[in-house]
Each structure stands twice: as structure tokens, then as C-alpha cells.
Amino acid sequence: MKNKKINGYLLAGIIITAFLLLLTVYGAIHTPYSPTAYTGMKFEAPSAAHLFGTDKLGRDIFSRVLKGMGTTLSVALITVIIGAVVGTAVGAVTGYFGGLVDDTLMRINDALTAFPSILMALLVISLLGPERKSSLILALGIVFIPSFARVTRTAFASLRDVNYITSARLMGAGNGRILLLHLLPNTGRVLLPALTIGFNNAVLAEASMSFLRITPLETSLGYMLSEAQGMLATAPWYALSTGLVIALLVFGVGLIGEGLQQRNKEA
Amino acid sequence: MSEDNDLILEVRHVSGGYRPNSLFGRSKAYKEVLHDVDFVVRNGEILGLVGESGTGKSTLAKIILGLMEPEEGEVIHHSPRPQIIFQDPYSSLNPAYTVEWSIEEPLRIYGKYDAAERKRRVREMLERVELPEEVLKAKPDELSGGQRQRVSIAAALIRRPRFLIADEPVSALDVTIQAQILRLLRELREELDLSYLFISHDLNVVYQLCDRVLVMKRGRIVEQGSVEEVFNHPREDYTKRLLAAAE
């Protein structure tokens, strides 16, 4: 079947992402050195002992990157799940029912979209208290709701009067059953690419938030990048390796998204 | 048998149309599509509904099925759960699910049968629409147009409705497949004690299949009677033109 084909984008994206995910899992179980301990000389250039070199406190940057990936990925994942679940629920209800519910919720949605997302996140964080990681996750999650709502609303609205949905209604299926069982599986072709884009935005948003030191996070890629800024002259490999990992992560997931969209076009 | 027992559907002085929604509730711009449509479907008959496209045939189907409210008049059903088969066999089955799921779904919604009984009924219905058991595990995009239409018929009939609207059910199919589906619809009427409202713009198909026929022009029924009567002795110029165009 044509639409089950794996194209080049998809394959490359899956390989890159799977490699980074494996590294992250490996990092969660074991790192070559403790990511916070002094391990040798400071500002050591990359070598066999220290793949990405060491920083000004003599910490092993490779170990820190492994740890940072774990933090960044988990924050991005939970963020995107919050955004996708709530956003899809809003999009489903507005797209399916239309009318006043649709008008009201989508105008609120527009208002949220019009707000700069970093500002929005700052607002939520300051309301929830900046000391906790959960504030950042929730703040970013809320920021991601409108884009998911918009994408899924279009999908649900375009399918609500399609013949098989009319038939389901005639057979006595309730709205909940139609939304979850009959419509949701058919929104995958827009939802999956949106998830990859959302995930990438979440990685970048987490990186910017901790780069700006808005929340005192443990080692995350963004936090490390802001640390690395101070050592750009003495330990350029710190910024380089951290930045490269972020770029590779976003690139890999972006390729998957592109691949999924290509596959939709072919099908 | 009393007169009422003999009826499966009454459509009484129905007028209806579309009122596009504006930002603040319903707008005044009402576009009437149906004007004072009045007819009955008798038990066991196949009633044809013919007319050019855009004349309100599908709007009438929606109103009969309760998917749209009539502006005036009423629709009285003398049987529960009327069903519909659509013209386009590509949008009438949910592409996310297998054939088995789609035929079984109405029974799951009904909720009165256990899994084994549902499976038994699905297989029995599959046999009635003359499909092999292999198609149960197939997704709609692996089936031909005719096979899909058979699956749609099976899903529509699995809860044993007595009345079925067929909205141009064969016009998207090849001629040979058309004949097979028409034969199947005729057989199912006998076996399952069905009545149809058969909507078509193809007068040859209507002539082959239907007992009586309604001729619709711009939302009004301009002529009705037995197929022989209407087709052999049309009274209205409109009907004559439709017949001339079909030859």
C-alpha cells in the first residue's frame, strides 16, 4: 500500500532521532563521569577521555550533554503532550459542533495566539511560582494549546459532514463516540506532523527559557548553552557540542515531520 | 390491514431549505429548496425519486432522515432507524477501520448482543451482500467501488431497518457493477422486507428497479404514479424532457 511507504525524509529522521533517543536513555542510566563533578583539568579540549572536552569547573561536557538531553527531552515531551491533548480536545469540540461554541473558543484562541509566546509563558510562570520545573512545563504546555487547537479544528470541521459520519449518526452513535472513535483516528495525518513541529518548538522554547535563566533548572541543553556563552573563547567546544545536539535533535524530528507530510501528499 | 399499517413513511407538506448562519444567530437570508413536498412510501415498495441535479433530492433525503429540520410540514416514520446508502462509495466507509469493524459498529452501538452474536450477524449479513469472508479484514481503500457499496449496504442493514434511502447508489459504478448492485437491492427487499426511496437521475435505472416514481422539479413534485404510467404516458413537459434526455 502506497501510504505505508517510508520515504527518505522519514528514514533519515527516524535514524537521527532514534540515535539521539538511545543516547538519552543511555545517559539516564550511565554517564562516563558525574555531570556535576570535577573530573580533571579545566578547559580541556575534546579527547578520547573527554569526548566533548571539559568546562571551567573541569566537568565532563559529554556527560553534561547526555544529562541535559534527558531534561530537555522530557520537558519538551510533557509540554507537547499537554498542548496536544488539550488543543485537540478544543479543536475537536469547536470543529465538530461549530456555532457559538466555535466562535467563542476560537476568538479566545486568537487572543492567545496574538500574545507573544515567551511573554505568555513568563506570565504563567510568574503566576505559578518560578522555582518549580512543573511551572515551566505547564507554562509551555499552555503556550502550545492554540496551535494544536487550530490545526485539529480544521480537520474535525472538514470531516464532520462526511458520509461515514452521517451514517454513524443515523446508527445512533453519540457525539462522544463519533468524536473519539470515528473522527479522531482520521485526523492522524494532520495531527502527527503537527506533533513533530510542536515537539521541535517545545525543545527550542525550553532551550530559550533556560538560556534566559527564567527557571533555575537542573542541567538542560538551554541552560548549558547559556553557561557556554561565558566560555566561548576558552572552551568553544562547550557551546559547539551543546548547540549541535539541539540542532541535530530539531533537524531529526523536523525530517520526520516533513516525511509524514510527503507521505500524506502521495497517498 | 388498515391504511396506516400499509405505510412505511409519510412526508406531509414539507418545505425546507438553508439559512446560512451569521455571526449572531440565524440570518434572514433563507433559501427555500423544497416547496410543499407531499408523498408516502408504502410497505415493501421501491419508490423512485427523479429530477435534475440541484433540484432538492438530497435535501429531501436529509429532512426525511432528521439530519435537517423542515421549515414547514412533517415527516412521519412508521419504522425505526431509517438508513441511507450514498452515491460515493469512497466516502461512505470510515477509512481508519476494517470492513468487519464498520459492519459491526451499529451492533456495538445498539449494545444488546455479545461479541459472538455480533460476529455471527456480521457474517450472515456479509453472505447476504455476497461478499467473501476475506474482505472482513480489509480496509476500504483495498476494495473496489462495487465491493465498498456492498459493505455500505451491509452496515446499513445489519440492524434490520425496514426503510432505506438509496441516494444515487449506483451512479458512481461501472454499468456491469450497477446491474449487480440493483439485483442485490431487489433481492434484499424480498429477503428483509424492505422499502426504498431510490433517488436517481438515471431514468433507465429507475425504470428497471422501481414500482412507483416521483418526478421533482425545482423543489416541487410535479408528477407521480406507477413507473409504467409515468414513463409511458408522461403528463408534464418536464417529465417528457427528462425521458427524452434518457434515451
Side-chain angles (χ1 to χ4, degrees):
Chain A
M1 278 196 315
K2 212 176 177 186
N3 61 350
K4 293 278 185 282
K5 242 198 305 195
I6 286 193
N7 54 41
Y9 289 110
L10 211 50
L11 188 66
I14 288 172
I15 290 172
I16 294 173
T17 309
F19 173 68
L20 290 172
L21 281 180
L22 279 176
L23 267 186
T24 311
V25 172
Y26 167 73
I29 302 162
H30 170 81
T31 48
Y33 302 89
S34 161
T36 49
Y38 176 85
T39 57
M41 300 284 288
K42 51 187 180 178
F43 297 134
E44 241 181 87
S47 65
H50 300 285
L51 274 179
F52 291 168
T54 63
D55 67 1
K56 69 174 169 198
L57 297 174
R59 296 174 299 191
D60 178 52
I61 292 170
F62 182 63
S63 303
R64 289 180 66 70
V65 166
L66 287 181
K67 181 76 177 28
M69 272 165 61
T71 311
T72 301
L73 281 178
S74 59
V75 169
L77 203 66
I78 302 173
T79 299
V80 114
I81 288 172
I82 294 174
V85 170
V86 181
T88 303
V90 172
V93 167
T94 54
Y96 180 69
F97 291 107
L100 198 61
V101 190
D102 186 24
D103 286 336
T104 314
L105 282 173
M106 288 325 277
R107 291 302 83 77
I108 296 174
N109 210 44
D110 287 344
L112 283 177
T113 317
F115 230 67
S117 52
I118 295 273
L119 213 60
M120 185 73 207
L122 280 177
L123 185 76
V124 179
I125 288 173
S126 60
L127 284 177
L128 294 172
E131 297 80 21
R132 282 169 300 161
K133 185 171 162 184
S134 58
S135 314
L136 176 70
I137 292 175
L138 202 60
L140 291 179
I142 291 172
V143 166
F144 283 109
I145 292 172
S147 62
F148 277 105
R150 186 155 294 282
V151 168
T152 51
R153 179 191 170 276
T154 314
F156 276 91
S158 71
L159 290 174
R160 74 171 172 201
D161 287 325
V162 100
N163 288 341
Y164 58 82
I165 298 302
T166 303
S167 293
R169 224 170 271 147
L170 286 178
M171 285 156 190
N175 288 326
R177 189 180 186 93
I178 289 179
L179 281 170
L180 287 174
L181 223 54
H182 292 253
L183 284 173
L184 189 61
N186 289 301
T187 57
R189 56 166 39 216
V190 296
L191 201 52
L192 288 176
L195 276 174
T196 63
I197 294 166
F199 181 80
N200 275 349
N201 287 337
V203 167
L204 294 175
E206 189 280 328
S208 353
M209 298 298 275
S210 36
F211 181 82
L212 296 171
R213 309 258 175 126
I214 284 162
T215 51
L217 271 187
E218 68 250 50
T219 323
S220 89
L221 292 176
Y223 182 79
M224 288 162 60
L225 210 54
S226 87
E227 269 188 348
Q229 201 185 19
M231 314 172 205
L232 216 49
T234 39
W237 45 85
Y238 194 0
L240 213 62
S241 55
T242 311
L244 214 66
V245 168
I246 295 177
L248 208 58
L249 198 59
V250 171
F251 183 60
V253 176
L255 280 178
I256 294 181
E258 181 62 28
L260 287 172
Q261 273 168 336
Q262 293 285 337
R263 197 175 73 171
N264 283 348
K265 263 183 231 156
E266 286 163 21
Chain B
M1 208 189 282
S2 81
E3 165 87 356
D4 273 348
N5 280 340
D6 200 35
L7 297 180
I8 203 89
L9 171 75
E10 295 176 65
V11 173
R12 291 302 178 206
H13 303 287
V14 161
S15 299
Y18 296 92
R19 226 178 256 283
N21 279 324
S22 71
L23 188 55
F24 305 101
R26 302 181 111 194
S27 71
K28 294 214 169 66
Y30 168 61
K31 190 178 175 299
E32 187 157 287
V33 179
L34 298 173
H35 316 280
D36 194 23
V37 172
D38 193 274
F39 68 91
V40 297
V41 180
R42 299 207 178 87
N43 211 344
E45 83 173 336
I46 305 184
L47 178 64
L49 175 61
V50 299
E52 289 167 327
S53 53
T55 189
K57 301 191 295 285
S58 294
T59 307
L60 179 59
K62 279 188 196 163
I63 288 180
I64 291 174
L65 293 171
L67 298 168
M68 228 177 104
E69 286 295 313
E71 283 291 317
E72 280 168 59
E74 60 177 338
V75 174
I76 305 160
H77 284 280
H78 295 285
S79 74
R81 300 180 306 280
Q83 294 292 322
I84 187 166
I85 313 166
F86 295 101
Q87 169 176 16
D88 176 17
Y90 288 87
S91 63
S92 49
L93 294 172
N94 196 323
Y97 294 102
T98 61
V99 166
E100 182 168 33
W101 191 93
S102 290
I103 302 180
E104 196 184 339
E105 176 66 357
L107 295 178
R108 269 191 303 267
I109 294 168
Y110 182 50
K112 293 278 160 65
Y113 304 121
D114 63 14
E117 175 64 12
R118 289 200 303 265
K119 299 275 182 253
R120 194 190 65 73
R121 284 173 182 254
V122 167
R123 277 173 173 72
E124 187 209 315
M125 190 49 76
L126 200 70
E127 219 167 280
R128 283 197 193 279
V129 299
E130 295 158 10
L131 283 172
E133 252 188 59
E134 296 90 82
V135 303
L136 282 178
K137 298 295 168 214
K139 292 276 186 73
D141 63 357
E142 299 165 54
L143 303 180
S144 69
Q147 285 176 317
R148 283 171 189 234
Q149 210 56 305
R150 285 171 192 270
V151 174
S152 301
I153 293 171
L157 296 183
I158 188 109
R159 276 190 64 195
R160 299 297 167 83
R162 301 275 318 284
F163 173 62
L164 186 70
I165 295 182
D167 189 357
E168 306 264 9
V170 296
S171 50
L173 305 173
D174 293 344
V175 180
T176 48
I177 310 293
Q178 276 193 9
Q180 292 172 15
I181 299 288
L182 292 176
R183 182 182 51 77
L184 177 67
L185 287 173
R186 210 179 287 124
E187 284 170 10
L188 289 172
R189 166 175 68 158
E190 305 301 326
E191 291 171 19
L192 302 176
D193 192 18
L194 283 161
S195 309
Y196 301 130
L197 177 65
F198 189 88
I199 303 175
S200 182
H201 66 273
D202 187 335
L203 274 68
N204 291 317
V205 167
V206 170
Y207 190 74
Q208 283 176 51
L209 186 73
C210 298
D211 307 307
R212 282 195 310 130
V213 63
L214 308 171
V215 182
M216 200 171 200
K217 179 191 179 188
R218 292 206 205 125
R220 291 174 207 278
I221 293 181
V222 292
E223 186 160 3
Q224 59 176 304
S226 75
V227 167
E228 286 76 19
E229 208 175 286
V230 172
F231 278 49
N232 297 332
H233 311 286
R235 288 193 305 270
E236 293 288 322
D237 285 345
Y238 181 72
T239 313
K240 286 176 191 159
R241 269 192 286 125
L242 282 181
L243 285 165
E247 272 160 18

